[in-house]
Amino acid sequence: MLTSERKALILDVLRRDGRVIAKAVSRELDLSEDTIRRDLRELAGEGLLQRVHGGALPASPAMADLAARREVSPEGKIAIGRAAAGLVRPGQVVLLDGGTTALQLARHLPRSLEATIVTHSPTIAVELANHPAIAVELIGGRLFRHSMVAVGAAAAEAIARIRADLFFLGVTGIHPELGLTTGDAEEAAIKRALSRQAAETIVLASREKLGAASPFQIAPLAEVSTLVVEADVPDETVEPYRRAGVTLIRS
């Protein structure tokens, strides 16, 4: 079998099963696991999958730059943002992540809402300038341009002084076994710090992020209280998260 044929088969298995187990593919093709692992490395290098122990998972399209991410599931992100905005109550202190879905949440907050929003995203802060009743606290630090958020020691120090009711978390991947992931180690650390400072962590996940994985873990699934997804995501896709004790909200 040609290398291109093997890779096509691997991607077919990934689309069909949602994961690839290297040992199973090697047995099916009567090839060594080393050969399959080499194919997985090359496919990962092309951004077509995310390697994990023993095989691979779908790579998230949310790893793309900010401009490209705006074009991924735009209607779904609007719906998720609207539903998530409805979870914010007057008087609460809310941590709001950066990213395209979080921006939709900010846009859908009622203009009469009196609350405090703390964010490390200057984009979110600018959007919230249109909400006169919301107090906006902007966390500073080094700008991570890929997501337009502040990271680094200064951001982590400021976050440690906050106690919040809710944290709305954006991820590039959420998986029942691997938990919450993103594409940058430093950004993952800041998201983790934000989650520690909130009574509840609510994940905003459009369909392309469900079952996908990225290189750096933010937190295990056990640290998530609520998952907000699109209304038409299949039940079999979200059932593993329900079984893990996560409250599911369809937007």
Side-chain angles (χ1 to χ4, degrees):
M1 179 179 284
L2 297 174
T3 300
S4 59
E5 293 174 322
R6 289 199 311 272
K7 289 181 177 179
L9 186 144
I10 287 169
L11 293 174
D12 284 343
V13 171
L14 189 61
R15 283 188 288 270
R16 184 191 71 208
D17 300 340
R19 69 185 305 156
V20 171
I21 300 173
K23 185 174 291 187
V25 174
S26 71
R27 286 174 179 167
E28 180 180 345
L29 301 181
D30 194 24
L31 294 168
S32 70
E33 284 190 55
D34 284 342
T35 298
I36 302 304
R37 282 195 289 266
R38 183 175 65 247
D39 290 342
L40 292 177
R41 280 196 299 272
E42 292 175 3
L43 288 166
E46 297 170 36
L48 298 175
L49 52 77
Q50 174 63 48
R51 293 184 69 206
V52 296
H53 181 71
L57 292 171
S60 173
M63 292 281 288
D65 62 29
L66 194 62
R69 296 202 305 276
R70 290 193 184 104
E71 305 305 316
V72 178
S73 300
E75 297 303 319
K77 290 175 181 177
I78 291 170
I80 290 169
R82 184 185 298 114
L87 301 176
V88 180
R89 299 289 175 259
Q92 286 186 324
V93 176
V94 175
L95 294 167
L96 185 51
D97 206 351
T100 52
T101 312
L103 183 61
Q104 291 299 329
L105 189 162
R107 286 176 178 167
H108 285 90
L109 290 170
R111 290 181 60 80
S112 59
L113 177 69
E114 294 184 5
T116 298
I117 305 293
V118 184
T119 183
H120 64 317
S121 167
T123 306
I124 298 292
V126 169
E127 179 64 35
L128 291 171
N130 298 318
H131 293 75
I134 291 178
V136 182
E137 298 283 343
L138 179 60
I139 295 168
R142 181 176 61 82
L143 183 65
F144 178 51
R145 288 179 174 83
H146 180 270
S147 301
M148 290 300 291
V149 293
V151 297
E157 184 177 346
I159 291 165
R161 295 194 293 268
I162 300 164
R163 296 293 181 271
D165 298 290
L166 305 174
F167 171 39
F168 289 97
L169 167 63
V171 298
T172 58
I174 176 169
H175 189 274
E177 297 168 21
L178 299 181
L180 317 171
T181 54
T182 194
D184 179 81
E186 197 166 9
E187 187 179 18
I190 291 297
K191 290 175 184 286
R192 196 158 47 245
L194 287 161
S195 182
R196 283 197 297 264
Q197 301 309 114
E200 295 181 53
T201 293
I202 300 170
V203 175
L204 312 175
S206 46
R207 68 180 68 250
E208 75 279 359
K209 299 171 184 177
L210 299 169
S214 296
F216 299 99
Q217 188 188 54
I218 301 164
L221 194 61
E223 296 188 18
V224 177
S225 59
T226 304
L227 174 62
V228 186
V229 300
E230 290 144 288
D232 59 351
V233 172
D235 287 341
E236 59 268 24
T237 301
V238 295
E239 184 58 30
Y241 307 104
R242 276 205 193 97
R243 288 200 302 268
V246 177
T247 299
L248 186 72
I249 294 177
R250 291 181 179 273
S251 57

